[in-house]
Amino acid sequence: MTHELILVTGATGFLGRIICQELSIDYSIETLSKSSGNTYRADLATDVPVFENNFRTVIHAAAKAHVIPRIGKEADEFFQINVQGTVHLTKGLERHGKLPAQFVFISSVAVYGCDDGEMIKEDFPLLGETPYAKSKIQAESYLEDWSKNNNIKLTILRLPLLVGQNPPGNLGKMIGWMKNGLYVGIGSGSARKSMVLASDVARFIPVVAKLGGIYNLTDGYHPTIFELENALAENQKRNKLYRLPDAFLRAVAKAGDVVGDKFPVNSQKFLKLTSSLTFSDAKAREIAGWKPHSVIDNLPNL
């Protein structure tokens, strides 16, 4: 283990936990979260943290994830946590005195605002319109100015679907439904989606942090939904998955267009579910030697 000290925010979250597990083998880790059991306990949405030590690297993984807000207060929380929380973190580092040499920000491909597209690169316009996407865009912009003004090497990682044990979000729901025999496939499942193993991201951070820059990270294969479903079903010992055909779903979606937002699916949602959306990780491979594992070939037992 090196004496290089790393701070990880959001250390109790899905990716934060994996980062700590992977990097604690070779690095000294201190953690920040609003829950107990961390080196520093603070709610970044409201608090400027007080630090005791100097950090070589800060990995900022604390965030409110991209759920759909139901009321204005929930939408505001994205900016309080993802933007103001980032500002509070940097103010805490400034107040301590010695700033880190490297800062890694965990962002998202949601900043591009795309429901479909093929091999989208880092120079694609940031068109995200959801509160989550806008908050990530604002946090990225703030950190770019802050790191430049303070001569800190900034790395921004724009991540797609993260895969690992006990995942949150839609992947976690999919696994839960399969375990209970309730999962039904949508359409042909031929749409390709970018995804990446959280453990690969964690192990890559110390390498790319020394270089700085903005990178998409994917597994490079971009499996179809059908492939992911079958790999998960195999893990769950499910021999057969039932599917709803495209024609049936398209008809239901058109009905949703008439009924309104309370209906579970409409034509826009149907298009999103059945369209490929992939991102290029060529920059990370060429500049930083990114060599990820295939999600399908290395799917953990979820």
Side-chain angles (χ1 to χ4, degrees):
M1 178 182 291
T2 70
H3 294 293
E4 182 176 324
L5 187 59
I6 295 176
L7 173 69
V8 180
T9 73
T12 57
F14 172 65
L15 180 59
R17 290 197 311 270
I18 294 173
I19 290 172
C20 292
Q21 291 168 2
E22 294 290 341
L23 300 192
S24 61
I25 300 171
D26 296 314
Y27 299 91
S28 298
I29 304 292
E30 291 192 351
T31 61
L32 183 153
S33 176
K34 62 183 180 181
S35 59
S36 59
N38 290 272
T39 314
Y40 304 100
R41 185 176 184 179
D43 184 350
L44 289 176
T46 57
D47 304 330
V48 175
V50 177
F51 297 112
E52 298 177 359
N53 294 313
N54 300 322
F55 307 106
R56 170 72 178 173
T57 304
V58 172
I59 304 171
H60 185 27
K64 180 176 176 63
H66 49 102
V67 296
I68 298 175
R70 291 170 294 179
I71 56 176
K73 181 181 178 181
E74 291 181 350
D76 291 341
E77 288 178 352
F78 285 102
F79 298 94
Q80 293 167 358
I81 297 171
N82 297 349
V83 182
Q84 196 58 43
T86 300
V87 174
H88 285 159
L89 173 60
T90 60
K91 296 302 180 186
L93 294 169
E94 290 172 357
R95 178 183 293 177
H96 178 64
K98 186 175 181 180
L99 292 171
Q102 304 165 170
F103 193 105
V104 179
F105 179 59
I106 304 300
S107 189
S108 167
V109 294
V111 297
Y112 301 117
C114 297
D115 289 335
D116 61 277
E118 298 284 348
M119 303 304 285
I120 294 167
K121 297 182 179 180
E122 292 85 352
D123 59 0
F124 191 90
L126 306 187
L127 303 175
E129 288 292 332
T130 66
Y132 173 69
K134 286 183 175 180
S135 69
K136 285 294 188 180
I137 292 170
Q138 290 182 23
E140 284 191 14
S141 178
Y142 171 79
L143 286 171
E144 287 178 319
D145 290 339
W146 179 76
S147 61
K148 183 178 180 180
N149 292 337
N150 291 284
N151 196 29
I152 295 170
K153 196 173 291 294
L154 173 66
T155 302
I156 296 173
L157 301 180
R158 293 175 179 162
L159 305 180
L161 176 69
L162 280 167
V163 181
Q165 290 194 356
N166 301 314
N170 290 335
L171 181 58
K173 292 177 183 177
M174 182 188 297
I175 294 167
W177 291 332
M178 283 190 181
K179 286 181 178 179
N180 293 315
L182 301 175
Y183 183 80
V184 177
I186 296 176
S188 65
S190 61
R192 291 190 176 273
K193 304 290 185 179
S194 288
M195 53 194 73
V196 68
L197 291 171
S199 56
D200 276 348
V201 174
R203 288 191 288 267
F204 184 60
I205 286 176
V207 176
V208 73
K210 295 179 174 64
L211 302 174
I214 300 174
Y215 305 92
N216 298 332
L217 297 184
T218 79
D219 77 341
Y221 176 66
H222 320 285
T224 65
I225 297 298
F226 183 80
E227 288 176 299
L228 178 63
E229 289 170 338
N230 279 279
L232 290 172
E234 184 176 344
N235 276 351
Q236 300 300 327
K237 303 297 188 292
R238 296 287 174 183
N239 295 325
K240 184 176 181 180
L241 292 178
Y242 295 97
R243 311 197 69 80
L244 294 175
D246 282 335
F248 172 79
L249 286 167
R250 190 173 290 107
V252 172
K254 288 182 179 179
D257 295 338
V258 176
V259 174
D261 293 339
K262 293 184 179 180
F263 204 72
V265 65
N266 55 31
S267 293
Q268 183 179 3
K269 292 178 181 178
F270 173 77
L271 180 64
K272 184 175 181 179
L273 289 168
T274 56
S275 298
S276 291
L277 179 59
T278 61
F279 301 87
S280 171
D281 63 3
K283 181 180 176 182
R285 292 173 184 268
E286 293 168 3
I287 294 177
W290 168 245
K291 295 180 180 179
H293 298 90
S294 163
V295 168
I296 297 300
D297 292 343
N298 295 274
L299 199 64
N301 185 17
L302 302 179

